[in-house]
Amino acid sequence: MTTARISTRESDVLTLLGEHLSNAEIAARLFISVRTVESHVSSLLRKLQLPDRRALSRHAITRARPTPRPPTAATLPVPLTAFVGRGHERTELAETLRTHRHVTALGPGGVGKTRLALATAEDMTGEFPDGVWFVDLVPVTDPHRVSAAVAAALGTGEQPGHAVDDAVLTTLTDHRALLVLDNCEHLRDGVAPFVERLLAACPHLKVLATSRARLMVPFERAFPVPPLSCEDGDESDAVALFMDRAAAVGWPPGPAGSEGVTVLCQGLGGMALAIELAAARWPTLGLDGLTTGLTDQLRILTGGARADDRHRSVRAVLDWSHNLLEPHDRTLLRRVSVFVAPFTAEAATHIAAFAPLTTAAIPDALARLAEQSLLTATPTPAGTRYHALETIRQYGTEQLAAAAETDTVRSRHLTWCLTATTTLAADHDEDDRRARFDTLADDARAALTWAAALPEHREEAHRLALTFAGLAFTRNLLGEAQQHYEQAAHLTDGTTCADALRQAAAVAGCRRLGDDIYRLHHAAAQAAHTVGDPTAAARDLATAATAAYRFSTSFTRIPPVTDTHALLDQARTLAADAPTARAAVALAEAAVTHDAFGALQADTANAVDDTVTSAERAVRLARLTGDALTESAALDALSGAHSWAGNTFAAATAARRRIDVLTTAPRTPASVHEHTDALAMAAGTALGTGDLLHARQWSERLAGHPLLAEAGHQATSWLLITGALAGHTDDVLTTSERFRDAWEHGGHPRSLSLGAAAASVAMIHGLRGDTDARDDWLTLAERADTPVQHRLGYGAVFDTLVLLHHGDTEAALERTAPEPHEVWKWVCWIWLHWYLALRAETAALTGHPEARTRITTARALVTGNPIATAQLDRAQALLDGDLDRLAATAQAFTRAGCPYQSARTILLTG
């Protein structure tokens, strides 16, 4: 196929062909004639050497697909001991992975599945150019958290508007990579569907899993991991492993003992864990002690109907190790098995210190268990932490059940988790809180999973879910926070249920999940109605209706207009004279009836004066409630109403007041959601008035907000727009990389601000003359925004700036041809002053007969906007041929913080 260059306009036409639009639709979209479109189509067919229009559409779709950027691969964990033997298994497992997309290494606990998987993955690193990742699923107790664990290993954070598993799919799509999922057996219900979806969405990905049982998913190839071979005597893998581990503890058995070691390894069934445990005890028991102890245990455990020989061998070593302990040490081992994550001696005391154990006995017993390799002791800045290997921990839980202590110990563990999470929630040291949360989280999740299933622990489970949800929110685990708020709601009823649902809705707002905001407030209304609280029910119904309009661009399916009107009618009926309910209903009326928020589903024929009046009433009633969040939401409606009325300065004032109002609001999910939205609107409306200084300040605060740490595209959108209009080229190009990476990893979300941000980057590339980069970012803008009408606002502004920069004044005149009232909703928002000023300037530069009229009309609206005023002064000077006045406008642009327009003025003076 030819590589002939196509023009920018041809590229625009080609992109729209990829959307399967007709010539007439393309003409309307690009503001050109149908005949011009036909000419471009013919030219494209000739240049691209394609046979027909259908082939052009297919080519456009392929061309628009972005090339995924591979994430940085994490380093495989480095075991502390050498890998011994298994040369044949390593080769065979690698060959199996080369010919199958999903391989599961199967075998009982302790056979060595993890070490074999790690060694094989290390051998094959060079065969996966996009990375090899290892995910340890041992700490995960909830099947729904599998995708979160994988995302953490990939370094992929949760993205607003998308589930965590969507972020994983986006990260790995089209990458040639290997994902190692270790210890899947306890999470098969979560791993199986996740892997199936992953393989279907990522055709070049391969998965190596380790498990005690098959995952039973398509593409799975089972690879049984055998015990270590003992057939070659002292040359066997089993004996080599024992020798290596015994030497590590300082007592190598030497050649004289090799025959006895072979017998011992045979008795252990060749199980890697059993051999390592036996070797660790060589210094204290010697070969004869090991053999005697092992023989006794094998005799006790022979003939088990549910376990094969290898399983009995592992259990024999564990039983034998367990029986060598003092009675109090056995008790402690089984009781601390409830800990999922490493724990301290203090935590162990809370759980295990009841008869026959005393508080004073716990530290010494922990040390003895560590000495015997049943626990691993690790020094940390917060003190020594202990952890049991997963096989030993599972063995301990079996012993706990056998001792009839499961309910007692798990209840104490639940109480400890409740106390720890409550204490942590009251800690305001953010840095310390994050670290403490990470060490506590897995145990809290495990305790919650256990308690939530038991009616007698329902109340404690509710409190833990509620507290843990708040902690997860502060840790930026928004998806998990919402999940646990909803869980807390299901574990209770009445008012507390409704409160938890509202918290979940607020987190959904932070995640930009409009459907969930609507659903959860509706559910909260039902819960409030059930307990006879009509005021709360009215407030929630009105809030749900408002959300459908206020956050319409964040919905995957906007609720039918009839449904939202029905909710509003119900809210009116229930509200009575309660101030909070009346304020909520007034806001819903401004949103639903008068379209104060410019919703996608609203009637564009609304009377703007009525919209302003309705929003002002909502603000008055909101103030009477004394609630900062209620007043902020109403001010948002007022800001929007003033925008549609063309009163840009009033819109900016209302938006700025929101930030002041929220200053005293306590930090909750609802206030954080309201605050980030307020910062975005304050930045945007300040931009609309030409106040670049405050626009940048609020944009920078938004970009640095902790909530958006994992959502760089949402964080930097207004920073990009502000920087582009000011002319800070280097800053925009640098920030655009963060924006693009986050947008791609976030699953390509869509919103007005994201489309405008991408278009602003395209403008910068256009000013620099890099047409390829500009076309690339314009394509991204098309994909990042929602309705095409948005391009009538920011699209017209950015396109016109590029056209004027390159002297194409006639095209600029055409791009700003529509009167503002013809596209009022999209131009009037924050783009009205920019549009009016550019429209006047293009008329002046082209000698348009209405140039002076356009300047005069614009001045009546933009007075007070330093940038728009300077543009009009420049246009007037161009018309009058007054070079002195023209030069003076350069200083005006400089004072307004707009170096690009200042430099452009100097060029226009010649």
Coordinates of all heavy atoms in Angstrom, one line a residue, residues 133-172:
W133 N 5.4 -11.2 35.3 CA 4.9 -10.7 36.6 C 4.6 -11.9 37.5 O 4.1 -12.9 37.0 CB 3.7 -9.8 36.5 CG 4.0 -8.5 35.9 CD1 4.4 -7.4 36.5 CD2 3.9 -8.2 34.5 NE1 4.6 -6.4 35.5 CE2 4.3 -6.9 34.3 CE3 3.5 -8.9 33.3 CZ2 4.3 -6.2 33.1 CZ3 3.6 -8.3 32.1 CH2 3.9 -7.0 32.0
F134 N 4.9 -11.8 38.8 CA 4.6 -12.8 39.8 C 3.6 -12.2 40.8 O 3.8 -11.1 41.3 CB 5.9 -13.2 40.5 CG 5.7 -14.2 41.6 CD1 5.7 -15.6 41.2 CD2 5.5 -13.9 42.9 CE1 5.5 -16.5 42.2 CE2 5.3 -14.8 43.9 CZ 5.3 -16.2 43.5
V135 N 2.5 -13.0 41.0 CA 1.4 -12.5 41.9 C 1.2 -13.6 43.0 O 0.8 -14.7 42.7 CB 0.1 -12.2 41.2 CG1 -0.9 -11.7 42.1 CG2 0.3 -11.3 40.0
D136 N 1.5 -13.2 44.2 CA 1.3 -14.2 45.3 C -0.1 -14.0 45.9 O -0.4 -12.9 46.4 CB 2.3 -13.9 46.4 CG 2.2 -14.9 47.6 OD1 1.4 -15.9 47.4 OD2 2.8 -14.7 48.6
L137 N -0.9 -15.0 45.7 CA -2.3 -14.9 46.2 C -2.6 -15.4 47.6 O -3.7 -15.4 48.0 CB -3.2 -15.7 45.2 CG -3.3 -15.2 43.7 CD1 -4.1 -16.1 42.9 CD2 -3.8 -13.8 43.7
V138 N -1.5 -15.7 48.3 CA -1.7 -16.2 49.7 C -2.4 -15.2 50.6 O -3.4 -15.6 51.3 CB -0.3 -16.6 50.3 CG1 -0.5 -16.9 51.8 CG2 0.2 -17.9 49.6
P139 N -2.1 -13.9 50.5 CA -2.7 -13.0 51.5 C -4.2 -12.7 51.1 O -4.9 -12.1 51.9 CB -1.9 -11.7 51.4 CG -0.6 -12.2 50.7 CD -1.0 -13.3 49.8
V140 N -4.6 -13.1 49.9 CA -5.9 -12.7 49.4 C -6.9 -13.7 50.0 O -6.8 -15.0 49.7 CB -6.0 -12.7 47.9 CG1 -7.4 -12.3 47.4 CG2 -4.9 -11.8 47.3
T141 N -7.9 -13.3 50.6 CA -8.9 -14.2 51.2 C -10.3 -14.1 50.5 O -11.1 -14.9 50.7 CB -9.1 -13.9 52.7 OG1 -9.5 -12.5 52.9 CG2 -7.8 -14.2 53.5
D142 N -10.5 -13.0 49.8 CA -11.8 -12.7 49.1 C -11.6 -13.0 47.6 O -10.8 -12.4 47.0 CB -12.2 -11.3 49.3 CG -13.5 -11.0 48.7 OD1 -14.1 -11.8 48.0 OD2 -14.1 -9.9 49.0
P143 N -12.3 -13.9 47.0 CA -12.2 -14.2 45.6 C -12.4 -13.0 44.7 O -11.8 -12.9 43.6 CB -13.3 -15.2 45.3 CG -13.6 -15.9 46.6 CD -13.3 -14.8 47.6
H144 N -13.1 -12.0 45.2 CA -13.3 -10.8 44.4 C -12.1 -9.9 44.4 O -12.1 -8.9 43.6 CB -14.5 -10.0 45.0 CG -15.8 -10.7 44.9 ND1 -16.3 -11.4 45.9 CD2 -16.7 -10.9 43.8 CE1 -17.5 -12.0 45.6 NE2 -17.7 -11.7 44.3
R145 N -11.1 -10.2 45.2 CA -9.9 -9.4 45.3 C -8.7 -9.9 44.4 O -7.6 -9.3 44.5 CB -9.4 -9.3 46.7 CG -10.4 -8.6 47.7 CD -10.4 -7.1 47.5 NE -9.1 -6.5 47.7 CZ -8.8 -5.3 47.3 NH1 -9.7 -4.6 46.6 NH2 -7.6 -4.8 47.5
V146 N -9.0 -10.9 43.6 CA -7.9 -11.5 42.8 C -7.4 -10.4 41.8 O -6.2 -10.2 41.6 CB -8.4 -12.7 42.0 CG1 -7.4 -13.1 40.9 CG2 -8.7 -13.8 42.9
S147 N -8.4 -9.7 41.1 CA -7.9 -8.7 40.1 C -7.2 -7.6 40.8 O -6.3 -7.0 40.2 CB -9.2 -8.1 39.4 OG -10.1 -7.6 40.3
A148 N -7.6 -7.2 42.1 CA -6.8 -6.2 42.8 C -5.4 -6.6 43.1 O -4.5 -5.8 43.0 CB -7.6 -5.8 44.1
A149 N -5.2 -7.9 43.4 CA -3.9 -8.3 43.7 C -3.0 -8.3 42.4 O -1.8 -7.9 42.5 CB -3.9 -9.8 44.3
V150 N -3.6 -8.7 41.3 CA -2.9 -8.6 40.0 C -2.6 -7.2 39.7 O -1.4 -6.9 39.2 CB -3.7 -9.3 38.9 CG1 -3.0 -9.2 37.6 CG2 -3.9 -10.8 39.3
A151 N -3.5 -6.3 39.9 CA -3.3 -4.9 39.5 C -2.2 -4.3 40.4 O -1.3 -3.6 39.9 CB -4.6 -4.1 39.8
A152 N -2.1 -4.7 41.7 CA -1.0 -4.2 42.5 C 0.3 -4.7 42.0 O 1.3 -4.0 42.0 CB -1.3 -4.7 44.0
A153 N 0.4 -6.0 41.6 CA 1.6 -6.5 41.1 C 2.1 -5.8 39.8 O 3.3 -5.6 39.5 CB 1.5 -8.0 40.8
L154 N 1.1 -5.4 39.0 CA 1.4 -4.8 37.7 C 1.7 -3.3 37.9 O 2.2 -2.6 37.0 CB 0.2 -4.9 36.7 CG -0.2 -6.3 36.3 CD1 -1.4 -6.2 35.4 CD2 0.9 -6.9 35.5
G155 N 1.4 -2.8 39.1 CA 1.5 -1.3 39.3 C 0.4 -0.5 38.6 O 0.6 0.6 38.3
T156 N -0.7 -1.2 38.4 CA -1.9 -0.5 37.8 C -2.9 -0.2 38.9 O -3.4 -1.0 39.5 CB -2.5 -1.5 36.8 OG1 -1.6 -1.9 35.8 CG2 -3.7 -0.8 36.1
G157 N -3.1 1.2 39.0 CA -4.0 1.6 40.0 C -5.5 1.6 39.5 O -5.7 1.6 38.3
E158 N -6.4 1.7 40.5 CA -7.8 1.8 40.1 C -8.1 3.1 39.4 O -7.6 4.2 39.8 CB -8.6 1.7 41.4 CG -10.1 1.7 41.1 CD -10.9 1.5 42.4 OE1 -10.3 1.0 43.4 OE2 -12.1 1.8 42.4
Q159 N -9.0 3.0 38.4 CA -9.3 4.2 37.6 C -10.8 4.5 37.8 O -11.6 3.7 37.8 CB -9.0 3.9 36.1 CG -7.6 3.4 35.9 CD -6.6 4.5 36.3 OE1 -6.9 5.7 36.2 NE2 -5.5 4.1 36.7
P160 N -11.0 5.9 37.9 CA -12.4 6.3 38.0 C -13.3 5.8 36.9 O -12.9 5.9 35.7 CB -12.3 7.8 38.0 CG -10.9 8.1 38.4 CD -10.1 7.0 37.9
G161 N -14.4 5.3 37.2 CA -15.4 4.8 36.2 C -15.1 3.4 35.7 O -15.9 3.0 34.8
H162 N -14.2 2.7 36.2 CA -13.9 1.4 35.8 C -13.5 0.5 36.9 O -12.9 0.9 37.9 CB -12.7 1.4 34.7 CG -13.1 2.1 33.5 ND1 -13.7 1.5 32.4 CD2 -12.9 3.4 33.1 CE1 -13.9 2.3 31.4 NE2 -13.5 3.5 31.8
A163 N -13.9 -0.8 36.8 CA -13.5 -1.8 37.8 C -12.0 -2.1 37.7 O -11.4 -1.9 36.6 CB -14.3 -3.1 37.6
V164 N -11.4 -2.7 38.7 CA -10.0 -3.0 38.8 C -9.6 -4.0 37.7 O -8.6 -3.8 37.0 CB -9.6 -3.5 40.1 CG1 -8.1 -3.9 40.1 CG2 -9.8 -2.4 41.2
D165 N -10.5 -5.0 37.5 CA -10.1 -6.0 36.4 C -10.1 -5.4 35.0 O -9.3 -5.8 34.2 CB -11.0 -7.2 36.5 CG -12.5 -6.9 36.5 OD1 -12.8 -5.7 36.6 OD2 -13.3 -7.8 36.3
D166 N -10.9 -4.3 34.8 CA -10.8 -3.6 33.5 C -9.5 -3.0 33.3 O -8.9 -3.0 32.2 CB -11.9 -2.6 33.4 CG -13.3 -3.2 33.3 OD1 -13.4 -4.3 32.8 OD2 -14.3 -2.6 33.7
A167 N -8.9 -2.4 34.4 CA -7.6 -1.8 34.3 C -6.5 -2.8 34.0 O -5.6 -2.6 33.3 CB -7.3 -1.1 35.7
V168 N -6.7 -4.0 34.6 CA -5.7 -5.1 34.3 C -5.8 -5.5 32.8 O -4.7 -5.7 32.2 CB -5.9 -6.3 35.2 CG1 -5.1 -7.5 34.8 CG2 -5.7 -6.0 36.7
L169 N -7.0 -5.7 32.3 CA -7.2 -6.1 30.9 C -6.6 -5.0 30.0 O -5.9 -5.3 29.0 CB -8.6 -6.2 30.6 CG -9.4 -7.3 31.3 CD1 -10.8 -7.4 30.9 CD2 -8.7 -8.7 31.2
T170 N -6.8 -3.7 30.3 CA -6.3 -2.6 29.5 C -4.7 -2.7 29.6 O -4.1 -2.4 28.5 CB -6.8 -1.3 30.0 OG1 -8.2 -1.3 30.0 CG2 -6.3 -0.2 29.2
T171 N -4.2 -2.9 30.7 CA -2.7 -2.9 30.9 C -2.1 -4.0 30.0 O -1.0 -3.8 29.4 CB -2.3 -3.1 32.3 OG1 -2.9 -2.0 33.1 CG2 -0.8 -3.1 32.5
L172 N -2.7 -5.2 30.0 CA -2.1 -6.4 29.3 C -2.5 -6.6 27.9 O -2.0 -7.5 27.2 CB -2.3 -7.6 30.2 CG -1.7 -7.6 31.6 CD1 -2.1 -8.9 32.4 CD2 -0.2 -7.5 31.5

